[in-house]
Amino acid sequence: MLGSSVATKPIARWVHCNECARSTDHLIVHTHRNNEFTGNVIDDAGGIVIANFKRFCDWQLLECQGCKTVCLRLKEYWSENGDVKDKPNRYYPPRNTEARNKPNWFDTFNNNNAMKRHFILNSYKEIYALIESEHYIAAMLMCRALLETIAVEHGDGDKKTFKEKLESLREKDYIRTKQIEYLEQTIYDAGSAAMHRSYDPSRQALSHVLDAIEHLIHTIYIEPIAETVLQSEKPKRSRKKSNVL
């Protein structure tokens, strides 16, 4: 109706978004307040330590105005003699301000219908989710599983050892000879160490592992998609007319 006022919801400015991997504006979709405690704080002797103490919490559902993903924010306040103070905000899931950015071709990979329910894509998503929640051991184990799945799927699945599977990838020109040792003895063995030798990897170590795996994913899965797009968009070469006397 004309003249009616539309209530606008408040905005939380510059909240880190795990999906966008940067700070964005978030819409405060809903706020629920809990009054956890009101009164005086009494010590063991019966004396008042803090007078007129109040503590309450705001649970807020936030929606990123970039990617539209949601998270939960807990804002805690407490007051002492009317002086209101607040604690650092807590987020669920936790905000990963040092998040590793997904490569710019991830959306191409994610939106490809043939990959929607593919183990490669689902594992890849779960690895990033594990890193964001700081479950580094589980992320390294998933990296090992993902690397072997790629080698089995696009190499020779009948090969017994992982190195033999990598050799079959080299024969198909997916990797170079120099990469075989790095993928086997460094990347794959890091997952084996997490599984068998109590290896607790750092975020930096996981980043190096993902660099290698994403390079392999790009070569095998993304380049054929990119080639199809480029071939369909490029204008055809014009043939020169020969002058025949």
Side-chain angles (χ1 to χ4, degrees), residues 82-98:
D83 183 17
V84 178
K85 301 178 181 179
D86 58 341
K87 293 185 176 181
N89 296 329
R90 284 186 282 172
Y91 294 88
Y92 305 90
R95 301 296 85 186
N96 186 8
T97 55
E98 298 179 3

Side-chain angles (χ1 to χ4, degrees), residues 12 14 23 43 48 57 60 82 98 100 127 138 144 157 170 173 175 192-193 197 217 227 242:
W14 302 114
S23 294
D43 63 14
I48 297 177
C57 304
Q60 297 178 326
E98 298 179 3
R100 174 189 172 91
I127 288 169
R144 180 186 186 274
R170 182 191 60 78
D173 293 329
I175 60 175
S192 298
R197 304 196 296 276
I217 289 175
E227 182 180 8
S242 57

